[in-house]
Amino acid sequence: MLVHKKATGITIGLTFVLLILAIIVSMGLGSVHFSPMEIIKALFGNGGEVSDTILWDIRIPRVMLAAVIGINLALSGAMLQAVMNNPLADPGLTGVSSGASVAVLFILLVVPQFSTFIPFAAIIGGSLSALMVYALAWKKRGITPIRVILAGVAVNSVFGGIIGLLSILYSDKLPGALQWLNGSMSGKGMGDLRVMLPYSVVGWIVALFCIRQANILRLGEQVALNLGESLNRVRILLSFVAVYLAAVSVSTVGMIGFVGLVVPHMARMLVGSDYKHLIPMSIGLGALVLLVADTIGRTFFAPLDIPAGIVMAVVGGPYFLYLMRKGDV
């Protein structure tokens, strides 16, 4: 047992080391390359005028934004998988992201004067979507994994249709929202990071306090009863955390699918199903995966900037099929 704990700790520690290396590499890549030493100098205020401008105004905000959103989506997926007892649960597949997207797109295209309220609208849209999935999937004996997925597909289809309708009705305003629709971090700056970071940190803290509740759901109804816990109360709490984190991400960069599905699976394979280890591992891996996806999108096809949402869809789709064939779902 001691050896297992040590190996788990080393695995989580190595993931965060990889994340730091990925952050340095990502900051250095682009139309102008910077060495690790130039990056370190700029970080400590000793860089040149060019490196300071490019790094502080463009690359650092984008890198940090990718890491924060990756953490949000990974934690959201991990929480949803605990609540729904479903390894396929993910903010994208369960309709949470599309519900939040409809609310954000409505404000961007129809009532842009209320753009201050975009984060709240995203949370409300995502919550309504989650409630719809629960209502559609619920039967007398509770929810089953297959009914959750079918309900998620139906809700996604409805909200996808609404997004399409809004895009046609307000096509003259669509170019301004196109990058957001594709899940891109292009053009995002320090201001966007300052807005979303406080919301995200609140979600991370609550998620860390929910580790015990997530483990209770994982161990089943009888364990919860023996511990005197109300399963419904625990499910509502974790669902809200999952919706909140996904909605905060959607409100900033639009829909980015599969991070919430892929990362918890990878984390589970590396450190097991105990949420005491799964949550910190998902934090490190979520930031790493989305940062790598964004770096690939903006460097491999330069001067084109491919949104991270498209990169994740290309990678996540085959991974989803792999899980199905492997029989993990």
Side-chain angles (χ1 to χ4, degrees):
M1 182 64 76
L2 188 61
V3 174
H4 173 70
K5 281 185 178 179
K6 190 175 179 180
T8 300
I10 291 172
T11 304
I12 295 172
L14 285 175
T15 302
F16 280 91
V17 171
L18 279 176
L19 174 60
I20 293 170
L21 292 176
I23 287 173
I24 294 172
V25 170
S26 183
M27 285 181 184
L29 294 178
S31 55
V32 179
H33 291 263
F34 295 108
S35 68
M37 189 53 68
E38 287 175 306
I39 294 169
I40 292 170
K41 283 182 178 177
L43 288 176
F44 286 97
N46 298 318
E49 186 179 347
V50 174
S51 60
D52 278 355
T53 302
I54 294 176
L55 286 171
W56 281 107
D57 291 350
I58 301 172
R59 297 211 187 142
I60 289 175
R62 182 163 179 162
V63 165
M64 299 311 294
L65 202 61
V68 170
I69 291 169
I71 293 171
N72 287 356
L73 294 175
L75 289 180
S76 178
M79 290 294 167
L80 284 174
Q81 289 174 14
V83 170
M84 298 186 179
N85 190 25
N86 185 339
L88 280 181
D90 155 271
L93 295 171
T94 53
V96 172
S97 294
S98 57
S101 294
V102 167
V104 175
L105 195 61
F106 181 82
I107 289 183
L108 287 176
L109 299 182
V110 184
V111 285
Q113 64 271 29
F114 295 113
S115 58
T116 309
F117 299 102
I118 281 178
F120 301 103
I123 293 170
I124 293 171
S127 301
L128 287 175
S129 181
L131 286 174
M132 288 173 66
V133 171
Y134 272 121
L136 289 169
W138 188 267
K139 287 197 80 173
K140 289 181 181 177
R141 295 185 178 179
I143 56 178
T144 62
I146 188 64
R147 287 184 68 82
V148 169
I149 296 305
L150 292 174
V153 169
V155 170
N156 259 328
S157 176
V158 171
F159 284 122
I162 296 174
I163 289 173
L165 182 62
L166 287 171
S167 301
I168 292 172
L169 292 177
Y170 297 90
S171 56
D172 56 323
K173 300 177 182 175
L174 193 60
L178 203 55
Q179 287 287 343
W180 175 85
L181 271 173
N182 286 322
S184 173
M185 275 160 268
S186 176
K188 301 294 180 186
M190 197 60 82
D192 299 286
L193 183 63
R194 287 197 190 101
V195 170
M196 82 167 300
L197 191 58
Y199 288 99
S200 301
V201 170
V202 170
W204 301 346
I205 293 171
V206 177
L208 289 171
F209 276 104
C210 289
I211 287 175
R212 177 176 174 273
Q213 285 79 3
N215 271 332
I216 289 172
L217 288 182
R218 179 176 66 89
L219 295 173
E221 185 174 353
Q222 192 56 50
V223 173
L225 291 173
N226 291 340
L227 294 172
E229 291 281 355
S230 164
L231 276 182
N232 287 333
R233 190 170 59 221
V234 172
R235 283 180 177 135
I236 289 171
L237 172 64
L238 297 193
S239 297
F240 179 78
V241 176
V243 170
Y244 173 87
L245 287 169
V248 167
S249 299
V250 169
S251 69
T252 307
V253 298
M255 282 196 292
I256 298 180
F258 293 109
V259 178
L261 170 70
V262 170
V263 171
H265 267 284
M266 293 170 65
R268 207 169 280 119
M269 285 192 291
L270 290 169
V271 299
S273 299
D274 188 338
Y275 273 75
K276 186 170 62 178
H277 306 133
L278 190 66
I279 291 296
M281 193 65 194
S282 295
I283 288 173
L285 270 181
L288 180 62
V289 166
L290 195 56
L291 177 59
V292 170
D294 184 55
T295 305
I296 289 172
R298 71 179 172 82
T299 56
F300 276 37
F301 306 95
L304 295 177
D305 191 337
I306 306 298
I310 293 177
V311 176
M312 282 308 304
V314 171
V315 176
Y319 189 75
F320 179 81
L321 295 173
Y322 161 74
L323 290 176
M324 291 186 70
R325 281 190 64 84
K326 191 181 172 188
D328 282 0
V329 299

